[in-house]
Amino acid sequence: MLSVLRNETYRRLLAAQIVALVGTGLLTVALGLLAYDLAGSNAGAVLGVALTIKMLAYVGLAPVINALAVRWPKKRVLIAADLVRAAMALCLPFITDVWQIYLVIFLLQSASATFTPAFQALIPTILTKENEYTLALSLSRLAYDMEALVSPAVAALLLTLVSYNNLFIGTAAGFLFSASMVTVTVLPRLAAPTGPQPSLWHRTTLGTRIFCRDGRLRSLLALNLVVAAPTALVLVNTVVFVRDVLQRPGTDLALALACFGVGSMIVALSAPRVLARFGDRSVMLTGAAVIPLVLAGASALTLPGVPGMGWWPLLGLWFLLGAANSTILTPSSRLLRDASTEETRPYVFTAQFSLSHACYILTYPLAGWVGAVAGLGWAALALAIIAMIGSAGAFLSWPGHEDAANTEPAEKEPGIEYTPRQPGRPRS
């Protein structure tokens, strides 16, 4: 898997991604402590609003920002987004009121909504070979999983030495490192779009329209809903399962979340070989079939009238949910690459970024509100139903006979010149 790191451009960008992810993890811990200092027992409500603002920025602003920036040099876009993120992180230690948190988080996440899709759309132009790109996707999935495990540990270690406000400095340092790596990296020279520029609305909705026309991408849209269901259950309700239902110590919360991450990592490590043997459709739809069953199992063990969920069954279910999630998440960018051209790729990746996060606006509140009002078993059951609906949509939208050969859109878009992918583009 590490053979793909021989590519110097990708190696530097991966280093930028990993360090920025660790910085983001430090931000998550420090932001919770800041919210508690400002709001006390209402800190949860403050964080809930902050997360909602984050999702709204991802869903609403990402397509608009991409449409505005699509003709700008990609290196400048990435560097500017990192600098804005670093500046916003440095503002957080000086915040004295809750509304200021909301403003800074909105600006920071708007910059992330600019950076992440542009970054993801660059990787297929750097790694043009199928096997190299698949390895890169596995490494990226591992980076996200490792961040979820490493960042809390690093934050806990730093908090024994410094105050939580210094964690924001670490976050800013991560974004500045990312900007420096992009600065010194030679990125592919992409052909500038030709012809008259279409309207902002046309460019903003282009990625979504490509999703609607392509059966595989319609299936991916349904799969995003499948992934959002177990993610919401794990991130929102694991603390309740561990502390309230099982009466376990706080350290076991980290262990339960780690099982979810380890399941995802194991699948990410094996993804290149499995995808080469079985293909995207079989692997991704297998995950879509498993997730509703595991969620239903979690519900059955926690509904009233049953003996209750034990510690080891919880770890096993969380491991399976992490593994099944990874079977969908790891290869998803291959579908985006195959369904787009070099010119439409930024729009397609941005649409996936926006539409996938829209699913969490449904599942996060569902997991929290139903769990609090009716109980964890009913929350798991509701999420299982959501996952079943998404799974059915994925199977119906992705026929077994459909291959991934076509990268041409069904209709030509004005202002967009379509050319096939070409390996070995000149570099600048």
Side-chain angles (χ1 to χ4, degrees):
M1 181 176 292
L2 298 181
S3 62
V4 73
L5 297 180
R6 294 171 187 155
N7 185 305
E8 183 179 6
T9 299
Y10 174 70
R11 184 170 67 247
R12 290 179 176 178
L13 291 179
L14 180 64
Q17 180 190 26
I18 291 173
V19 175
L21 282 173
V22 174
T24 302
L26 297 180
L27 172 69
T28 301
V29 175
L31 188 62
L33 296 172
L34 174 62
Y36 186 79
D37 267 0
L38 294 179
S41 59
N42 291 323
V46 172
L47 290 176
V49 173
L51 285 173
T52 302
I53 290 173
K54 171 183 175 179
M55 292 301 167
L56 291 175
Y58 282 0
V59 173
L61 287 184
V64 178
I65 294 173
N66 174 72
L68 291 170
V70 70
R71 296 197 175 198
W72 300 347
K74 293 298 180 287
K75 178 178 283 192
R76 295 180 185 178
V77 171
L78 294 175
I79 294 172
D82 268 334
L83 292 179
V84 170
R85 294 197 292 181
M88 292 302 101
L90 290 175
C91 288
L92 286 167
F94 304 102
I95 280 178
T96 58
D97 207 341
V98 168
W99 70 266
Q100 296 170 349
I101 290 181
Y102 300 152
L103 176 61
V104 170
I105 290 300
F106 175 78
L107 295 174
L108 190 152
Q109 299 303 342
S110 296
S112 292
T114 304
F115 181 93
T116 304
F119 179 90
Q120 293 173 339
L122 264 180
I123 304 304
T125 67
I126 295 168
L127 302 173
T128 56
K129 295 181 179 178
E130 179 82 12
N131 63 321
E132 289 182 342
Y133 186 55
T134 303
L135 292 173
L137 294 179
S138 294
L139 285 176
S140 180
R141 184 73 249 152
L142 285 171
Y144 279 103
D145 292 331
M146 285 300 298
E147 182 274 326
L149 298 176
V150 171
S151 290
V154 172
L157 177 62
L158 290 176
L159 287 172
T160 64
L161 305 173
V162 298
S163 69
Y164 72 81
N165 278 328
N166 289 283
L167 298 186
F168 295 126
I169 299 176
T171 298
F175 293 142
L176 291 174
F177 177 85
S178 175
S180 67
M181 285 290 98
V182 175
T183 301
V184 300
T185 300
V186 179
L187 299 181
R189 182 186 298 135
L190 304 179
T194 60
Q197 190 174 28
S199 68
L200 177 61
W201 173 255
H202 183 95
R203 286 176 281 138
T204 299
T205 59
L206 176 56
T208 302
R209 285 185 278 116
I210 293 174
F211 258 76
C212 293
R213 291 198 299 251
D214 188 287
R216 289 162 295 150
L217 295 189
R218 289 197 301 271
S219 178
L220 179 58
L221 182 58
L223 289 170
N224 289 333
L225 189 61
V226 178
V227 167
T231 303
L233 181 70
V234 171
L235 296 186
V236 174
N237 288 330
T238 298
V239 63
V240 186
F241 274 110
V242 172
R243 299 290 286 148
D244 191 41
V245 175
L246 299 177
Q247 302 293 311
R248 307 282 299 190
T251 52
D252 283 350
L253 171 62
L255 183 56
L257 293 174
C259 281
F260 183 79
V262 169
S264 178
M265 291 169 63
I266 289 176
V267 170
L269 285 168
S270 60
R273 294 188 299 274
V274 174
L275 290 170
R277 180 172 181 180
F278 297 104
D280 297 336
R281 183 181 185 276
S282 297
V283 173
M284 297 177 75
L285 293 185
T286 297
V290 169
I291 286 173
L293 295 176
V294 180
L295 288 174
S299 173
L301 291 174
T302 49
L303 284 172
V306 298
M309 181 181 289
W311 173 239
W312 292 108
L314 174 71
L315 296 184
L317 290 172
W318 265 220
F319 176 87
L320 290 175
L321 289 176
N325 257 16
S326 191
T327 63
I328 297 172
L329 291 172
T330 302
S332 61
S333 290
R334 286 163 45 119
L335 272 62
L336 303 175
R337 179 203 57 186
D338 292 339
S340 62
T341 65
E342 187 174 284
E343 291 76 16
T344 62
R345 188 169 296 133
Y347 299 100
V348 172
F349 273 82
T350 302
Q352 165 64 3
F353 181 81
S354 178
L355 294 171
S356 62
H357 283 91
C359 297
Y360 293 102
I361 297 178
L362 170 65
T363 58
Y364 278 156
L366 189 64
W369 295 340
V370 176
V373 173
L376 296 177
W378 294 109
L381 181 60
L383 292 169
I385 293 172
I386 293 293
M388 289 176 189
I389 294 171
S391 180
F395 275 88
L396 293 174
S397 300
W398 198 345
H401 57 78
E402 184 175 315
D403 59 36
N406 183 24
T407 60
E408 289 291 331
E411 301 174 9
K412 297 292 185 180
E413 299 289 346
I416 305 293
E417 180 183 359
Y418 296 97
T419 57
R421 290 197 309 271
Q422 298 178 7
R425 288 281 184 144
R427 307 169 77 82
S428 62

